[in-house]
Amino acid sequence: MQSIRVTVQLENDKYTLRQVFKIVSKENLGSYSCSFGDEAKADFLLAGPQIGEVRDKPIVSYVGDSVVVKCKMDEKKPKPASWNWYKANGTDKEQIFYAAEPQKYEIKNHEWVTKLVVHKLTEGDSGFYYCEGVYAVSTTMGHVELKVITFLEPLKPFIAIIVEVIVLVAAILIYEKSQSKKNSAGGNETNADQTNTPTPGDNNGPEESSSTRQRKV
Amino acid sequence: MNNHGPKAKSHSGEAEGPNGDWSWVLVGALFISTGLVFGLMRIMGIFFVEFVNYFEESSQSISWITSISLATQQFFSPVATALCNAYETRAVVMTGGFLSGLGLIAASQATCLVHLYLSMGVITGLGWALVFTPMMATVVANISQRRALALGLGLSSIGIFSFTLSPLFQLLVEMYTWRGALLIMGGLSLNIMVCGALIRPQWCSKALKKVDSKPRSSCATVLRRVSSYLELPVLLERPYLTYTATITIFNAGYFVPYVHLVALSRMTGFSEYQAAFIMSATGVTDILGRVTTGWFSDLGYFRTIHLLSLWVVLAGLFIILLPVSSLTGSYAALMAISLLYGFCSGALSSLVFAVMPMIVGVERVMGALGLLQLIESGAGLLGAPLSGLLKDMTGNYTVSFIVAGSFLIVGTLIMTTLPHYFSRTDPPPPHRVPHDVKDRGVHLELEHINNSPSDTSPKGAQ
């Protein structure tokens, strides 16, 4: 820790200390503090801009599809000079070079936003991806998780629903068929009270009941 | 299928339609299928953010998907009802369920925007057309005793489904991305086929009534049959035209708050969450309005058509009051008026369908509703852009809301020109005279009864 001792004169009933620091490299960043004997102390933290919004939920995509992984720096802060992308490999981070595999990766940088496009996804592409914004004196890192799933995943609930539909439709149609078989087998019984029987029921209503109904109308 | 003779007789005899347990099963089917049509339509918005990111298109081009599906659904309604008149309603609705599921499943494989327009827009819209109006007409025709309540219950699913499915699909999009979520949505839509299976084959068939004595199908015969399936003659009747004009004008103003209320709240200075909460709360009173007005209307103290006029006028009034209350800047005032608007708009939307059989008669409800959907769709398509235009011209929503509200009030004034509007009891609904000679005797008897003094006039839907 470096220490600078400065003597200040009293001006307008105040002791004012103003110090200029040149921030040249990363070493100049950090914690600064000034103290006036035991009476006053102020702490400052000098740091490079940090990536604010980090997406906490994983980005999901399918095998064979392509996906866009995005990192954004707050537009109120200065924009990074350049961006780097890394893929987590165990505990290491491996940098993704655009030129090395142009079929697979595409990096699109635009001021405050960087986009990594990954094509022809495989399940091995799942994991954490790190975007690094590079400034003259500092870098900042954000991370996004990518999850690659096969189409079988949503297919399972889908098949379950299809099965349910088929079962219900079959049940309804079979029930109705059995009802109508029962009615026609039972001869021309009047089922006037059971209004939920299909057409044979109407057939059997004798003229009396249909005409009485008309009378009420 | 059994004898045509007795069945035709029972058709004309049972003017009220069979009541009882199975009708309420149909109401349940209407509940599920309407929820799966319009409820799903309302939550399509969840996918839009995903589509904008994935396809890198503007949100305006994405919003065309909903417009296409809604327009297709309304445009093909008469075709759907004509098919029901020609063939079995059950087959039509089940096909509709299949198509709507198919469209969404195809959409899950989309690689470009046009693919989405065709699958999620056209195919699903077509499926929905084959489902909604036929199911509505079936319930309207099958229930006479508590029709308004049945319709209110059946339509309440729109709000309930969109409310409950919204977080579910948000979760599905997170787990399976939009492709997986659309696939599952398609699967859910296939449940409409289950609803369709519940429609018993008895209520179809003008085809059966029409015992064509001319076996050769000349051009004229075919045209006549098609026009009768489409119920085109109903367009020539003044009551129907008046009613359709009324509903069309309602449509021009009715949707405006749903489209612009959030923007109005944001403009007044409320946060996103406050604005969204107003919409959710309005959705809840909408559901309440549908069910309670249905129950109240069936009690019979007032004619359904008078209640409809009341709710429409109130809704128009509240729409006009919305920007006025926002001028006060008070959140409570805006919320209160929105809740009242929600109640009235839910109330009127189920009564609109309940009144139809009194205008055209129960047998023609199917085709009449189909044509109505088509005609009113024009106003619906124009209404929201018109109010958007007015807002762009004047800089705020006051004028556009006032215009929307006045559409509703003007529509009510037109509705008062319906015949027998001011009488205390419902006039007897018109009866079609069938071509079948066998029925003529029965029908003459019926007409005689209908023309008798109003003391014996039907309590019907009252």
Side-chain angles (χ1 to χ4, degrees), chain B residues 103-115:
Chain B
L104 290 170
I105 295 170
S108 74
Q109 307 300 314
T111 48
C112 65
L113 194 57
V114 175
H115 191 148

Side-chain angles (χ1 to χ4, degrees), chain A residues 57 60 62 65 151 154 157-158 161-162 164-165 169 172-173 176 195-196 199 203 207 213-215 217, chain B residues 2 6 14 19-20 22 54 90 105 109 174-177 179-180 183 187 190-191 197-198 200-201 445 456:
Chain A
K57 300 203 182 94
V60 184
Y62 289 100
D65 207 353
F151 216 72
F158 177 71
I161 298 176
I162 302 278
E164 168 248 321
V165 169
V169 172
I172 293 171
L173 293 177
E176 191 181 305
T195 47
N196 61 350
T199 42
N203 230 351
E207 288 212 31
R213 220 175 285 179
Q214 285 174 38
R215 290 277 133 76
V217 166
Chain B
N2 307 286
E14 292 170 10
N19 288 313
W22 199 255
Y54 187 84
R90 162 186 277 175
I105 295 170
Q109 307 300 314
E174 264 168 43
M175 281 170 63
Y176 299 124
T177 79
R179 287 191 195 273
L183 185 69
L190 289 176
N191 278 296
L198 289 169
R200 292 280 167 82
E445 214 180 280
T456 52

Side-chain angles (χ1 to χ4, degrees), chain B residues 258-320:
Chain B
Y258 281 112
V259 178
H260 291 304
L261 185 57
V262 173
L264 175 69
S265 330
R266 301 293 322 275
M267 212 175 197
T268 319
F270 300 124
S271 75
E272 274 179 2
Y273 290 107
Q274 285 173 311
F277 185 61
I278 290 187
M279 279 310 289
S280 313
T282 311
V284 173
T285 49
D286 180 289
I287 299 173
L288 274 177
R290 280 175 210 253
V291 179
T292 50
T293 194
W295 164 79
F296 182 70
S297 159
D298 287 326
L299 290 179
Y301 299 134
F302 300 99
R303 279 181 67 190
T304 316
I305 200 163
H306 291 159
L307 282 177
L308 176 62
S309 321
L310 172 72
W311 294 123
V312 173
V313 166
L314 282 180
L317 207 64
F318 290 131
I319 293 181
I320 295 179

Side-chain angles (χ1 to χ4, degrees), chain B residues 5 8-10 12 209 434-444:
Chain B
K9 204 178 286 185
S10 64
S12 47
K209 275 207 231 177
H435 299 279
D436 192 359
V437 179
K438 271 189 227 173
D439 296 320
R440 195 145 286 165
V442 166
H443 255 267
L444 282 177

Side-chain angles (χ1 to χ4, degrees), chain B residues 351-365:
Chain B
L351 288 186
V352 160
F353 294 104
V355 169
M356 185 60 94
M358 297 173 214
I359 307 224
V360 298
V362 170
E363 302 97 353
R364 297 194 294 180
V365 152

Side-chain angles (χ1 to χ4, degrees), chain B residues 200-377:
Chain B
R200 292 280 167 82
Q202 49 182 278
W203 253 107
C204 60
S205 289
K206 297 188 164 223
L208 292 174
K209 275 207 231 177
K210 291 185 156 322
V211 183
D212 265 342
S213 45
K214 300 180 213 163
R216 352 175 273 274
S217 48
S218 60
C219 215
T221 329
V222 169
L223 277 178
R224 198 154 29 94
R225 283 180 82 182
V226 167
S227 104
S228 93
Y229 290 150
L230 284 170
E231 289 294 6
L232 289 181
V234 92
L235 286 174
L236 297 173
E237 287 172 27
R238 201 182 73 101
Y240 180 75
L241 276 180
T242 317
Y243 191 66
T244 308
T246 313
I247 306 299
T248 309
I249 297 184
F250 288 170
N251 245 22
Y254 164 71
F255 288 113
V256 166
Y258 281 112
V259 178
H260 291 304
L261 185 57
V262 173
L264 175 69
S265 330
R266 301 293 322 275
M267 212 175 197
T268 319
F270 300 124
S271 75
E272 274 179 2
Y273 290 107
Q274 285 173 311
F277 185 61
I278 290 187
M279 279 310 289
S280 313
T282 311
V284 173
T285 49
D286 180 289
I287 299 173
L288 274 177
R290 280 175 210 253
V291 179
T292 50
T293 194
W295 164 79
F296 182 70
S297 159
D298 287 326
L299 290 179
Y301 299 134
F302 300 99
R303 279 181 67 190
T304 316
I305 200 163
H306 291 159
L307 282 177
L308 176 62
S309 321
L310 172 72
W311 294 123
V312 173
V313 166
L314 282 180
L317 207 64
F318 290 131
I319 293 181
I320 295 179
L321 282 178
L322 273 171
V324 171
S325 73
S326 77
L327 285 176
T328 65
S330 147
Y331 187 67
L334 187 61
M335 175 66 96
I337 304 282
S338 306
L339 290 177
L340 289 167
Y341 159 74
F343 189 87
C344 296
S345 94
L348 76 91
S349 57
S350 51
L351 288 186
V352 160
F353 294 104
V355 169
M356 185 60 94
M358 297 173 214
I359 307 224
V360 298
V362 170
E363 302 97 353
R364 297 194 294 180
V365 152
M366 179 70 83
L369 279 182
L371 287 171
L372 175 65
Q373 285 267 295
L374 170 64
I375 296 170
E376 69 176 1
S377 68

